[in-house]
Amino acid sequence: MKHITILLFSTFLISCNQNVQTQKDNMQKSDSIYATELIDHEFLKYADSSKLDSLKIQLKNSFDIYDDDNFKITHIDAEELAEFNFDFFIPNLNKLLEKRQVNLKVKKLNSDNNSFDILINEDTIQLYSQNDLDKSLFWDTAPRNFFKKVNEIIKTKNIDEQFYLLYAGNDLHTLLLTDKQFSIISEYYKNNEKEKPYKP
């Protein structure tokens, strides 16, 4: 009886290990399928040719869309943006945009602490309102207003990409994607809302 119990337990463990391995294999297949679709839809169009092979491998092995070398993503930090610290992220944002022949010049309109207006390439926008500040919504409102305006600017240049936001607060990032690339990434993360990019 003891031998039968050990045999059954061993069989159960082997079966569990096989199921775990099958799940891992399926996830890798899934990563590879979505990654191939992203690559086919020019996700790595602006990547440096010397890094193209390694970026493709990262994408296919672990759906790594977060590498700065793909020229699709950069860290923003909603706090820095809301506090008008544009030097924190504009240089890296411009690295993405320079590949598309666009450049942003951003500054606070004036030094008045009660003004929330900024200039983006000579266009004035209100980053957030006093009401947003009073209700502690400004970390959410500022990036949305900022990137809505930047999306308007890049649309005038006939660029088929737009900025989407990813995460929030100090972890806020932005992804520059075509509609199809956004659709592929959203489908990949359909069961993980916090990893999905979202419109500003």
Side-chain angles (χ1 to χ4, degrees):
M1 185 70 177
K2 187 176 178 183
H3 293 297
I4 292 171
T5 305
I6 292 171
L7 183 62
L8 286 173
F9 185 69
S10 299
T11 305
F12 173 75
L13 285 179
I14 290 167
S15 175
C16 286
N17 285 338
Q18 286 173 339
N19 286 340
V20 168
Q21 188 58 47
T22 301
Q23 286 175 345
K24 284 181 183 176
D25 290 345
N26 286 341
M27 283 178 66
Q28 283 185 326
K29 282 180 193 171
S30 176
D31 289 352
S32 182
I33 290 167
Y34 283 99
T36 299
E37 198 175 353
L38 264 187
I39 292 164
D40 290 346
H41 285 91
E42 299 188 315
F43 185 77
L44 298 175
K45 177 179 179 179
Y46 295 100
D48 187 314
S49 58
S50 68
K51 296 184 177 174
L52 205 50
D53 288 340
S54 65
L55 288 169
K56 283 181 181 178
I57 289 166
Q58 284 173 224
L59 255 177
K60 288 180 178 178
N61 288 345
S62 60
F63 203 71
D64 182 0
I65 60 172
Y66 312 103
D67 194 313
D68 290 341
D69 288 332
N70 64 29
F71 288 92
K72 299 292 274 182
I73 190 167
T74 194
H75 179 221
I76 301 299
D77 190 330
E79 181 180 13
E80 299 292 343
L81 172 54
E83 292 181 357
F84 309 99
N85 295 327
F86 304 119
D87 288 343
F88 178 83
F89 65 90
I90 288 294
N92 287 332
L93 192 61
N94 272 331
K95 282 182 187 176
L96 301 185
L97 290 169
E98 282 164 13
K99 292 272 189 178
R100 287 112 175 135
Q101 299 177 340
V102 176
N103 188 63
L104 295 180
K105 293 178 184 164
V106 183
K107 65 180 182 179
K108 194 167 190 286
L109 185 62
N110 57 55
S111 58
D112 180 357
N113 285 335
N114 295 321
S115 170
F116 310 115
D117 293 338
I118 65 169
L119 284 172
I120 304 179
N121 290 5
E122 306 309 317
D123 289 335
T124 304
I125 69 158
Q126 186 179 58
L127 205 54
Y128 50 87
S129 66
Q130 183 63 49
N131 186 48
D132 294 324
L133 191 61
D134 294 343
K135 293 183 176 180
S136 298
L137 299 172
F138 61 107
W139 276 24
D140 180 60
T141 306
R144 289 180 186 273
N145 288 338
F146 183 88
F147 281 101
K148 279 178 191 170
K149 182 59 184 178
V150 174
N151 281 341
E152 286 175 20
I153 292 168
I154 63 177
K155 190 174 183 180
T156 66
K157 307 288 184 182
N158 294 320
I159 295 168
D160 67 346
E161 298 165 298
Q162 62 180 308
F163 281 105
Y164 293 87
L165 303 177
L166 183 64
Y167 310 127
N170 297 120
D171 293 327
L172 181 73
H173 282 66
T174 191
L175 278 160
L176 189 52
L177 304 169
T178 64
D179 290 343
K180 184 61 180 176
Q181 291 161 3
F182 170 69
S183 173
I184 294 165
I185 293 168
S186 295
E187 176 64 21
Y188 179 81
Y189 285 118
K190 65 185 174 190
N191 297 320
N192 190 351
E193 285 295 320
K194 69 175 188 167
E195 292 295 331
K196 277 188 187 179
Y198 56 95
K199 290 186 178 182

